[in-house]
Amino acid sequence: MMLLAALHLEAVLPALALLAPHDAELRRAASGSRAFAVALSVRGAFAPRRLAFSAEGGIDTAKVAQSGDLRLWFPTAGQFLRVINQQPAMLLPLSGWGSLGQVGRFSAAGRRLDQLLRYPHENPALFAFGNLAVGLAGAAVWLRLHPQGAERRTRLGDGVATFACPALPAPLWLDLRTLTSGFGPAPRPPMVEVTFANLPTLLAELEHRLDALAALGGGELRIRGHLPVAEGLGLVLNEVSRLLNPPRPLDAARHSQANAPQSHRHA
């Protein structure tokens, strides 16, 4: 549960700042009568996550709270995850009580973010951009906090991996040395470069339905550099996706039925 909380705090919530410049509805949800900032802290070893909202709906994110922020402290990772899931939770406002009336903007922005990250039809390019960014940031968290992370990181090395697609607002990167991720130019020459030729190919990869060998053979997917690093990082990205997107009961039932012996299936 602590790992899942860290993934939401350090990988999912920063996507608000990433996607806000590209989505008018997200900016409307985040807008209000004045600027305000909320800093979220979970009991444990996590740094706070600061989200600053401008009156016009712009969003910035950082790991350091500032004086005047509405500071919300959660006694357990479970309580924090309840807020993420739009459920009542136990929390303690430590400061910035005058901004409590603005917290609905954070909730509204979170609901819009959930739509963008879960439903490709809302905006396919932002679905891809956001999910790939969350996945790479989540991979950094997984490698740092998961019990198998240190061993997996040793196998991956300390280079930079980049991911690009013409349909995205910018390329994305993950630095395995510093366990940081971002968009735009890579911080140093990459060890591996993954390029998706078009948006449908990237969407197929994100939805776990891409035939990678066929895509490589057809030119829809290009990998330059250390192929084993790309393959190993892909496994970590799958672990992050599994944690952030557990199968719903109906999906699990369908999966179980699809994999049942033929004689046990309904007609």
Side-chain angles (χ1 to χ4, degrees):
M1 189 170 288
M2 294 293 283
L3 175 57
L4 182 57
L7 287 171
H8 279 281
L9 198 66
E10 300 185 29
V12 179
L13 288 181
L16 286 166
L18 180 76
L19 298 183
H22 308 286
D23 186 68
E25 188 170 339
L26 176 54
R27 293 194 301 275
R28 281 194 295 271
S31 64
S33 59
R34 61 178 178 85
F36 99 105
V38 57
L40 309 168
S41 300
V42 181
R43 184 176 185 177
F46 306 151
R49 170 57 54 186
R50 182 178 194 263
L51 295 165
F53 298 79
S54 71
E56 297 77 20
I59 306 173
D60 288 320
T61 184
K63 290 185 176 182
V64 179
Q66 297 183 14
S67 175
D69 290 352
L70 171 60
R71 300 183 63 185
L72 302 179
W73 181 82
F74 299 86
T76 67
Q79 294 299 320
F80 169 69
L81 291 172
R82 287 183 65 84
V83 166
I84 293 298
N85 292 320
Q86 304 285 334
Q87 298 173 342
M90 181 184 301
L91 58 90
L92 178 65
L94 300 179
S95 64
W97 299 277
S99 294
L100 280 171
Q102 302 290 324
V103 77
R105 294 159 62 185
F106 168 56
S107 298
R111 288 192 293 271
R112 178 56 181 168
L113 176 65
D114 187 68
Q115 291 175 341
L116 290 171
L117 294 180
R118 288 188 183 275
Y119 305 113
H121 65 271
E122 286 286 332
N123 187 317
L126 289 191
F127 171 87
F129 190 45
N131 274 281
L132 186 53
V134 168
L136 293 175
V141 173
W142 193 96
L143 290 167
R144 191 176 78 248
L145 297 180
H146 194 277
Q148 299 176 13
E151 185 272 336
R152 194 76 64 90
R153 188 178 178 188
T154 298
R155 280 191 278 160
L156 289 172
D158 63 354
V160 172
T162 63
F163 296 78
C165 176
L168 300 186
L172 295 157
W173 53 264
L174 171 65
D175 190 330
L176 291 164
R177 179 187 299 168
T178 61
L179 291 184
T180 56
S181 63
F183 64 94
R188 48 199 175 92
M191 173 186 289
V192 60
E193 300 171 88
V194 180
T195 303
F196 299 90
N198 50 56
L199 184 57
T201 302
L202 177 52
L203 290 172
E205 171 65 14
L206 292 170
E207 295 170 352
H208 308 292
R209 52 182 176 80
L210 180 69
D211 184 337
L213 290 178
L216 285 167
E220 292 88 3
L221 173 65
R222 299 194 305 275
I223 301 177
R224 296 178 56 188
H226 295 257
L227 181 59
V229 174
E231 293 175 338
L233 188 53
L235 294 176
V236 175
L237 290 170
N238 286 338
E239 289 291 329
V240 172
S241 177
R242 181 182 62 82
L243 288 167
L244 289 175
N245 304 288
R248 292 170 293 182
L250 182 58
D251 294 335
R254 287 172 176 166
H255 177 78
S256 176
Q257 185 180 31
N259 288 280
Q262 185 67 37
S263 60
H264 291 179
R265 292 181 186 173
H266 295 291

